[in-house]
Amino acid sequence: MVLAELGGSITRALQHMSNATIIDEKVLNDCLNEISRALLQSDVQFKMVRDMQTNIKRIVNLEDLAAGHNKRRIIQQAIFNELCKMLDPGKPSYAPKKGKPSIVMFVGLQGSGKTTTCTKYAYYHQKKGWKPALVCADTFRAGAFDQLKQNATKAKIPFYGSYMESDPVKIAAEGVERFKKEKCDLIIVDTSGRHKQEAALFEEMRQVSEAAKPDLVIFVMDSSIGQAAFDQAQAFKQSVSVGAVIVTKMDGHAKGGGALSAVAATKSPIIFIGTGEHMDEFEIFDVKPFVSRLLGMGDLSGFMDKIQEVVPHDQQPELLQRLSEGTFTLRLMYEQFQNILKMGPIGQVFSMLPGFSSEVMPKGHEKESQAKIKRFMTMMDSMTNEELDSTNPKLMNESRLMRIARGSGRQYKDVVDMMEEYKRLAKIWGKMKGLKIPKKGEMSALSRNMNAQHMSKVLPPQMLKQIGGMGGLQSLMKQMGSKDMMNGMGGMGGLFGGEK
């Protein structure tokens, strides 16, 4: 994952500071220098790194701190805030309104994934109830219209373009006008990729903008652009009024620090990130959860949103009831494994959990984790209803385990491993007993019934320690601006590299 290396380096720097016996100026400077090196190596602009270091030193004045202050937490909070400032220009982008025609124009370098991103953006809003349409004003790249046509047809989104007309300005004006008449409320204009050295193409982009009269111009940036990000983003901003940034190819292994530079250059917020080639691998970008994941502190609200996406609405009340009872069966484990597999790449999902910095799950580990889940599910397919629904571990004697191994084509040891995982999860699930159930039984209401004390019992000790104990957990919940917590599935840390 892009920025995984950066996140790991920052986490290590914070860990070195936490391990220090005494927090003094030298420890603070060593920590900041280590973080600064990591940011520079990740292609973040030098001035941004220098400003960040200066700001933190100004905020964290160790000599003025009275005795009893938690210096580690104050430093960590300052680093968190400064990284957030890097990614947050302090003003929101234009937000399209459903039912009212909005025109959004996409610009960016050649090869940044602009055309694919246009369709993803349209598809995302279509699922939310908008009526989007796509206009291909890219007449420079051969096959651009074919690509947009293919993507739009697959997503069942209306599109406009021409094989005959070579003037992108005319196409943009005609397409926008047509879709306004068809009462589309999100008209997306795709433009040719261009480079800041190409003056004629930049003039053409300005003319397309004048013809389309966009409410929002989005700069699409490939996460691997590197050191050139600031200058390129600034050039686009000077030609058209860029109001938002989308970063693509965040599923790769590029350094990715250029994304931070692009925000500084355009003074515009990142609104989405592309995390893969598929249409639904497209996420809303939220600064605080992103930085929290970068620092290995998790994104509990994002994890909760994922849970709500994949747990069928009609199953949510029953799940909460089971949480309240603290009863965990093998069938329930099976169901939760099914939900996890629906949540997308396991690394992305579990990077939302505190303590799961990207380096906890080394390259290749995701496939192993997914394979382990599927093996467990195959073994459970060979169980009887009595075995799946029982809460009595003594029921699963040696003869039953042997039968399950034979029925699933697995080794006896594999079935024993699965039962050990079940016992561990059952113990964590049991700690949720007594959780007050919301009236409507909705998953989102769970957050209002959990506090840091309850959450601390659920999190594995390794995670709780990395967050900074109870104080750190309370601080994290406050930082995130909500108390959205996970629903007991966070205890699956041991299965995916956490502490057992």
Side-chain angles (χ1 to χ4, degrees):
M1 188 74 176
V2 167
L3 298 179
E5 192 176 326
L6 172 60
S9 298
I10 293 174
T11 304
R12 278 196 301 275
L14 291 172
Q15 194 61 54
H16 292 160
M17 177 195 69
S18 294
N19 292 339
T21 309
I22 299 172
I23 304 296
D24 55 17
E25 288 292 334
K26 183 182 183 305
V27 170
L28 173 61
N29 287 332
D30 287 347
C31 178
L32 293 180
N33 289 337
E34 201 172 337
I35 290 172
S36 297
R37 277 195 299 274
L39 289 167
L40 291 169
Q41 286 168 3
S42 189
D43 291 330
V44 180
Q45 192 199 26
F46 174 75
K47 183 180 180 299
M48 292 175 68
V49 177
R50 185 189 60 199
D51 289 348
M52 181 205 76
Q53 198 168 29
T54 303
N55 290 342
I56 292 173
K57 284 184 177 179
R58 189 185 69 250
I59 295 163
V60 183
N61 191 329
L62 295 177
E63 290 180 5
D64 291 346
L65 287 178
H69 277 87
N70 189 322
K71 295 177 181 178
R72 291 176 178 82
R73 197 176 305 152
I74 289 169
I75 294 169
Q76 187 179 32
Q77 183 67 54
I79 291 167
F80 178 90
N81 290 340
E82 284 302 311
L83 286 171
C84 285
K85 276 171 62 179
M86 276 187 177
L87 286 162
D88 187 355
K91 59 175 183 179
S93 72
Y94 169 84
K97 289 181 175 61
K98 208 179 293 182
K100 177 190 172 187
S102 295
I103 300 159
V104 180
M105 177 172 151
F106 279 65
V107 300
L109 294 171
Q110 293 155 353
S112 60
K114 195 163 26 57
T115 301
T116 301
T117 303
C118 283
T119 317
K120 285 183 175 184
Y121 183 81
Y123 181 68
Y124 172 86
H125 285 88
Q126 184 186 58
K127 288 195 297 180
K128 301 286 183 183
W130 266 267
K131 187 183 176 185
L134 291 158
V135 178
C136 181
D138 181 356
T139 58
F140 183 77
R141 179 170 65 90
F145 181 42
D146 282 328
Q147 184 189 351
L148 184 135
K149 183 178 176 181
Q150 184 179 2
N151 289 348
T153 303
K154 190 176 178 181
K156 297 180 181 176
I157 296 165
F159 60 91
Y160 180 83
S162 173
Y163 289 112
M164 308 300 292
E165 180 58 63
S166 61
D167 183 1
V169 178
K170 189 175 180 184
I171 291 173
E174 289 175 354
V176 168
E177 192 58 36
R178 172 177 165 175
F179 289 127
K180 275 185 177 178
K181 288 177 182 175
E182 293 182 10
K183 306 294 183 188
C184 292
D185 55 7
L186 188 62
I187 303 165
I188 299 157
V189 181
D190 185 20
T191 63
S192 304
R194 61 204 80 221
H195 192 275
K196 76 183 182 80
Q197 273 77 34
E198 297 165 328
L201 282 177
F202 263 73
E203 173 57 25
E204 177 192 274
M205 178 176 67
R206 192 185 59 76
Q207 291 173 10
V208 170
S209 180
E210 283 183 3
K213 296 181 174 60
D215 297 292
L216 174 65
V217 177
I218 296 176
F219 175 62
V220 180
M221 193 199 85
D222 180 344
S223 64
S224 65
I225 188 174
Q227 293 283 355
F230 186 88
D231 290 342
Q232 290 292 346
Q234 197 170 54
F236 278 87
K237 177 72 173 181
Q238 287 166 355
S239 294
V240 288
S241 54
V242 172
V245 177
I246 293 179
V247 185
T248 62
K249 306 176 187 178
M250 290 289 279
D251 54 323
H253 293 278
K255 293 176 181 178
L260 284 73
S261 300
V263 172
T266 60
K267 293 182 173 60
S268 303
I270 298 173
I271 54 171
F272 286 94
I273 55 174
T275 57
E277 295 178 6
H278 299 294
M279 201 68 70
D280 56 355
E281 291 178 319
F282 193 62
E283 299 176 8
I284 284 184
F285 181 85
D286 195 349
V287 174
K288 285 185 177 180
F290 181 82
V291 173
S292 188
R293 285 163 72 176
L294 197 63
L295 298 180
M297 298 192 307
D299 170 14
L300 298 171
S301 59
F303 188 84
M304 198 65 193
D305 289 342
K306 281 281 188 185
I307 295 285
Q308 289 181 62
E309 278 178 32
V310 299
V311 176
H313 190 75
D314 59 347
Q315 289 182 23
Q316 291 180 14
E318 185 185 355
L319 182 60
L320 284 173
Q321 180 66 44
R322 287 172 169 179
L323 271 172
S324 170
E325 293 167 354
T327 304
F328 190 72
T329 63
L330 282 156
R331 190 184 298 280
L332 186 53
M333 184 166 88
Y334 188 95
E335 288 169 1
Q336 299 319 306
F337 282 165
Q338 282 181 315
N339 288 332
I340 282 181
L341 292 176
K342 289 179 198 169
M343 288 168 83
I346 285 180
Q348 288 179 34
V349 173
F350 280 86
S351 69
M352 295 177 183
L353 298 180
F356 277 97
S357 71
S358 11
E359 297 201 343
V360 170
M361 209 177 294
K363 190 177 178 182
H365 193 83
E366 286 196 357
K367 288 183 180 177
E368 290 170 27
S369 301
Q370 210 148 10
K372 184 182 274 191
I373 284 180
K374 288 177 180 176
R375 282 199 303 274
F376 285 175
M377 290 174 74
T378 301
M379 288 180 257
M380 285 187 273
D381 283 334
S382 293
M383 290 183 176
T384 64
N385 287 335
E386 182 191 13
E387 290 162 351
L388 288 171
D389 295 324
S390 172
T391 56
N392 177 16
K394 291 181 180 178
L395 178 73
M396 303 302 290
N397 55 33
E398 188 176 345
S399 62
R400 284 180 185 266
L401 298 184
M402 290 290 287
R403 191 207 77 239
I404 293 164
R406 285 195 302 271
S408 59
R410 304 301 310 178
Q411 298 291 321
Y412 175 78
K413 181 183 177 299
D414 295 336
V415 186
V416 172
D417 286 346
M418 180 194 67
M419 288 307 300
E420 285 302 313
E421 185 63 30
Y422 163 71
K423 289 173 188 174
R424 195 182 64 77
L425 294 177
K427 186 178 177 182
I428 290 165
W429 193 275
K431 292 178 183 178
M432 304 297 286
K433 191 172 183 178
L435 180 68
K436 186 180 175 184
I437 301 175
K439 287 182 182 177
K440 293 183 180 179
E442 291 181 354
M443 184 72 77
S444 57
L446 174 62
S447 61
R448 294 192 290 274
N449 297 307
M450 291 194 77
N451 54 32
Q453 190 68 41
H454 207 143
M455 194 63 197
S456 67
K457 295 177 183 176
V458 179
L459 286 173
Q462 182 191 34
M463 289 186 185
L464 193 61
K465 184 181 176 184
Q466 186 160 343
I467 299 167
M470 271 297 295
L473 180 59
Q474 287 168 336
S475 174
L476 174 62
M477 290 167 75
K478 189 176 178 182
Q479 284 171 18
M480 302 302 287
S482 76
K483 291 185 180 179
D484 286 342
M485 292 288 119
M486 46 196 169
N487 68 355
M489 288 168 65
M492 294 186 179
L495 182 61
F496 306 100
E499 188 176 75
K500 285 197 176 185

